[in-house]
Amino acid sequence: QVQLVESGGGLVQAGGSLRLSCAASGLTFNPYAMGWFRQAPGKEREFVATISWSGTSTSYANSVKGRFTISRDNAKNTVYLQMNSLKPEDTAVYTCAARAGSASYSQYEYPHWGQGTQVTVSS
C-alpha cells in the first residue's frame, strides 16, 4: 500500500522560508516521479513542482519559479520542496503525489496522494 506523508508546514512571515518533506513508502514500482500541488481556500488545486526519478528533470509553476526548489533523496524515499521568499498568496494546503514514469504537471496523472500540510504566510 502506497503511503505519502508530508511534513514541514507551518506559519511563516512573508519573505521567510519553509522546507516541506514528503516521505514515501510502499512504492514498489520504479521509476516514479513526484509532484507537489497546492490548494488555497476556495480555489482549485494547482500544480507547484514536479521532479523525475533521477532528479535531473524538474518543472515549476510560473508563480513559484525562482523561489521554490524541488529535490529528492531516493535512498530515503523522500522528496523535498524548499520554499523561499514566501508570499501571502502562497498560503495553501500543500500535497505531494507520486506516479509511475516521468514527471508531470497534471494532477490527473497522479494516482497516489498524501494528506497535505498547511502552509500559512502572514503579511
Side-chain angles (χ1 to χ4, degrees):
Q1 182 178 355
V2 175
Q3 188 172 20
L4 303 175
V5 179
E6 301 93 340
S7 61
L11 174 64
V12 64
Q13 287 190 330
S17 298
L18 282 174
R19 189 176 83 151
L20 305 183
S21 299
C22 173
S25 61
L27 286 165
T28 59
F29 50 88
N30 285 327
Y32 63 90
M34 300 291 292
W36 283 99
F37 296 81
R38 68 186 183 185
Q39 186 168 21
K43 294 189 176 181
E44 299 282 323
R45 183 163 59 189
E46 64 176 4
F47 165 74
V48 176
T50 184
I51 187 167
S52 63
W53 163 256
S54 65
T56 57
S57 177
T58 59
S59 180
Y60 299 90
N62 287 335
S63 58
V64 307
K65 202 171 293 184
R67 300 187 298 121
F68 290 11
T69 302
I70 189 171
S71 62
R72 65 189 297 164
D73 183 340
N74 289 341
K76 297 182 179 179
N77 291 325
T78 301
V79 65
Y80 306 96
L81 186 68
Q82 178 66 43
M83 305 186 296
N84 299 329
S85 302
L86 282 161
K87 305 174 181 180
E89 52 263 44
D90 294 318
T91 295
V93 175
Y94 285 70
T95 307
C96 67
R99 69 183 297 269
S102 59
S104 173
Y105 61 83
S106 174
Q107 61 179 294
Y108 304 106
E109 295 186 352
Y110 288 84
H112 307 291
W113 292 83
Q115 293 298 309
T117 185
Q118 176 71 47
V119 171
T120 302
V121 185
S122 63
S123 56

